Amino acid sequence: MIGGGAVGSACARELALAGRSVLVIERGTPSGEAWRAAAGMLAPQVEAVEEDPLFELGLAGRERVAELAPQLKESTGIDIQYWQSGIARIATTPARANELKARVAWQRQQGHLCDWFDEAEIRARWPWLGPSLGGMWASQEAAVDPIRLVEALRADAVRLGARFITDTAIGIERHGDQVTAVTASERLFAGDVIVAAGAWSGRLTGLPRPLSVEPIRGQMAVLPWPPGVPPAIVFGDGGYIVARGADAVVGSTMEPVGFVPEVTPAGVAQILAAVGALCPSWAQFGVTRTWAGLRPVSPDGLPIIGREPRLKGLWYATGHGRNGILLSGITGQLMARMLAGENELEHLHPMRPERFWNW
């Protein structure tokens, strides 16, 4: 396994649970890792659009994390702070209100719990928000602490027999049409290799096709959560607010700047402008912390999950973009099933690796 972030650790846990021998190669430098910069929302409903190929997978991912929360706490003692709070998406323009109403209608037609709140209902539930034209409410949406989630997945994977080493994977070795090893500071032999290296996945040598994953920087900030205000998670145009303890985690940017996980004044200003549009009174709060991560994004925005048809034993679990935390647990399950010989499921067809560079 190349990569020990949220997706890689979830895959390692599931494979170890299935009785496989698992070695995870982690990068020696944590700077820029997407999971360290995630807000931890499990929000497939408020983020999806109609006919989104990720919608059903996202719902399954949300349910999988909900299942994992008590299991991981029992087996590792780590509380991933799973919190099913519901999430609101606020409309501040007529165009956004019409879009969200259509989204609510479509999801309700599919049998999903979802509601439209008018302006008065939004004001009654979240009086601290600024003016709105109503909003979408998804009561089943949730959140976790992403750091604790990865810590728990790793700890449970180790408990089940997986090994984690700190090294930098350089490339894949092959003999004919079969994977044989991963090149790092030494040659690590393996009959199956899963690439789950996030934004760095495409930098591996020896791949049979270019791996279309590029880093997109996401900057984040923390404000103090106001005393007396009930915790909540709220989306607006271009930003969101997530309560986590005494903090309000706010974000985020999407910047194609290469491997530069730096916080910039312009990025923080963009985040604060989006937060100010949601809640003008919060403009007075000072930023207490900032950070940035590099999200692994594919050209079509979908993950790359499954077997590499040009090289036996090579698998991909990468390109999850903003959805690495949401899809971590379900990706781990799917990879374990595929390595056990099960056919790829129909809903994974849009994520197949050969959709890129297939000549």
Side-chain angles (χ1 to χ4, degrees):
M1 177 83 61
I2 303 175
V7 172
S9 295
C11 290
R13 178 186 181 274
E14 294 293 339
L15 290 167
L17 187 62
R20 297 183 70 102
S21 176
V22 180
L23 174 67
V24 181
I25 309 168
E26 300 183 85
R27 291 174 58 242
T29 54
S31 175
E33 290 178 329
W35 62 272
R36 296 182 187 275
M41 289 175 291
L42 309 175
Q45 289 185 257
V46 301
E47 293 210 78
V49 296
E50 291 184 31
E51 309 301 334
D52 187 336
L54 274 181
F55 183 59
E56 294 297 333
L57 189 63
L59 293 174
R62 187 182 68 189
E63 297 310 308
R64 180 56 183 157
V65 177
E67 293 170 353
L68 282 170
Q71 295 174 9
L72 292 172
K73 187 171 183 179
E74 180 178 358
S75 61
T76 70
I78 299 173
D79 182 357
I80 67 172
Q81 297 185 355
Y82 174 81
W83 174 40
Q84 188 180 41
S85 60
I87 298 179
R89 185 152 198 162
I90 306 302
T92 55
T93 66
R96 181 64 75 188
N98 289 336
E99 176 192 330
L100 292 179
K101 287 178 182 178
R103 191 179 302 181
V104 169
W106 178 77
Q107 291 192 20
R108 289 173 69 92
Q109 289 169 359
Q110 308 304 309
H112 302 297
L113 292 175
C114 192
D115 291 293
W116 173 259
F117 288 167
D118 63 23
E119 180 181 354
E121 290 172 305
I122 294 292
R123 192 182 311 113
R125 286 176 174 258
W126 301 281
W128 44 275
L129 288 175
S132 78
L133 298 177
M136 173 185 184
W137 170 245
S139 62
Q140 302 301 301
E141 305 280 62
V144 296
D145 183 321
I147 304 296
R148 288 173 177 255
L149 173 63
V150 175
E151 288 176 349
L153 289 169
R154 288 180 176 178
D156 211 33
V158 170
R159 179 186 69 85
L160 292 164
R163 293 189 300 127
F164 285 71
I165 63 171
T166 300
D167 205 340
T168 299
I170 298 170
I172 305 295
E173 293 189 10
R174 62 190 294 172
H175 179 73
D177 64 352
Q178 172 68 52
V179 160
T180 56
V182 174
T183 305
S185 62
E186 59 179 313
R187 183 178 288 110
L188 302 167
F189 294 98
D192 289 290
V193 174
I194 300 175
V195 177
W200 290 266
S201 297
R203 271 52 188 176
L204 294 166
T205 63
L207 298 174
R209 76 178 76 229
L211 187 51
S212 297
V213 177
E214 295 296 334
I216 300 295
R217 183 171 67 192
Q219 299 186 51
M220 307 279 292
V222 165
L223 307 175
W225 191 267
V229 174
I233 303 176
V234 182
F235 267 78
D237 287 335
Y240 51 76
I241 301 170
V242 180
R244 184 174 296 150
D247 293 334
V249 179
V250 297
S252 74
T253 64
M254 291 285 285
E255 305 166 85
V257 296
F259 290 90
V260 185
E262 296 177 358
V263 175
T264 66
V268 174
Q270 177 183 329
I271 293 168
L272 295 182
V275 171
L278 262 177
C279 188
S281 64
W282 286 30
Q284 62 184 307
F285 300 159
V287 174
T288 60
R289 185 162 58 97
T290 59
W291 66 95
L294 301 175
R295 301 184 179 102
V297 178
S298 71
D300 60 9
L302 299 177
I304 301 172
I305 301 175
R307 180 179 62 86
E308 167 54 68
R310 295 178 178 173
L311 187 58
K312 293 178 182 177
L314 181 59
W315 307 80
Y316 301 116
T318 188
H320 289 71
R322 294 166 54 97
N323 296 300
I325 299 299
L326 171 66
L327 299 179
S328 57
I330 194 66
T331 300
Q333 277 195 325
L334 291 169
M335 293 304 299
R337 289 168 60 181
M338 285 189 283
L339 264 76
E342 294 188 33
N343 293 328
E344 293 186 18
L345 303 181
E346 181 64 27
H347 63 266
L348 281 184
H349 185 74
M351 294 87 175
R352 66 195 186 284
E354 62 268 30
R355 72 187 189 273
F356 300 122
W357 304 96
N358 191 23
W359 56 69

